[in-house]
Amino acid sequence: LFPYTTLFRSVKDTLGEILQYQDEPIGAYYYSTSCGVSTDTSVWKSENEEKPPYIKARVISSNEDSIIADELKDEDKFRDFIESVDESNYENEEGYYRWTYEVNEIDSDFMLKQLKNRYENNKNLILTRNKSGEYESKKITKLGKIKDISVIKRNPGGVIDELVITGSKAVIKVTSELNVRYILCDGETKVVKQNNEEGSMNTLLPSAFFVIDTSKENGYMIGYKLIGGGFGHGVGMSQNAAREMGNLGMNYKDILSYFYENSEIKTIRTKGES
């Protein structure tokens, strides 16, 4: 357990300090564990939201020359990345740094239910292909037997942004990392971490940093295997990376400036002031 004396000392030592970008408080987004790379706020599909310049997709590694995060938008390059282990990544020994999720028997009725749920949550992010081949927002009533599931777009860092589910009765495009994690989680299959420990995934996959291998029979999918990494949305600071960086001797100012580029810690009142 984290010692209370250390916690209280940390609070006292940073009293009055605030992390800012151009004299404004930052949105200090964070998550649990990275797969060795992060992404940016475009994953959330928020209307009229500007991308914070201090949060960028980046390799989370002691060797930043290993790969450029933007390159991982390419499917083949991302697969090469996620199927390997880079020992320079700060979290390469974390359980969720690499994981697999294997569904042996796909349930198309359950997936249809999940699609309907996410459509009702945001009708602009779950789209149905019409007769002209374009995707439109319309009520989902059918899917049929699933023929294929494929990634059609990745954001910087390789996180899935758009996924297409091809059924015998409808073709659906799923947008946003959250929806992807929700719809491909069957609520029963356990994720297997790289240390062979299992984790229950009741509603969401650990992350949308993964590739998909499908198994088929007579033209229809019978199951799928996800090879992925990380835990969380992948935006901002990875908590486990920050911990390891601290263990390696970096101080909190260095760590924060690493994850929130060009940000500054400023004192808004003097220590000891009430």
Side-chain angles (χ1 to χ4, degrees), residues 110-203:
F110 182 77
M111 189 168 289
L112 175 60
K113 177 185 174 182
Q114 299 291 79
L115 287 165
K116 288 179 177 179
N117 288 341
R118 296 315 296 172
Y119 175 78
E120 291 303 322
N121 181 265
N122 189 325
K123 295 177 172 61
N124 294 318
L125 298 181
I126 308 294
L127 306 176
T128 301
R129 193 170 72 186
N130 58 29
K131 291 181 180 180
S132 64
E134 298 178 344
Y135 289 96
E136 62 180 354
S137 177
K138 60 181 293 187
K139 189 173 182 178
I140 299 172
T141 59
K142 56 189 177 182
L143 179 61
K145 294 179 69 174
I146 297 171
K147 295 181 176 181
D148 196 25
I149 299 175
S150 58
V151 177
I152 62 171
K153 182 183 176 184
R154 292 185 183 275
N155 277 345
V159 66
I160 298 175
D161 189 54
E162 293 182 2
L163 183 83
V164 168
I165 301 173
T166 302
S168 59
K169 296 181 180 179
V171 179
I172 311 293
K173 181 165 74 171
V174 178
T175 304
S176 88
E177 65 91 28
L178 179 63
N179 285 336
V180 168
R181 293 167 66 190
Y182 181 87
I183 287 166
L184 292 188
C185 179
D186 67 2
E188 296 180 356
T189 301
K190 294 184 182 297
V191 67
V192 180
K193 309 173 195 178
Q194 68 170 0
N195 58 7
N196 292 320
E197 291 181 357
E198 293 185 341
S200 296
M201 298 290 113
N202 296 323
T203 56

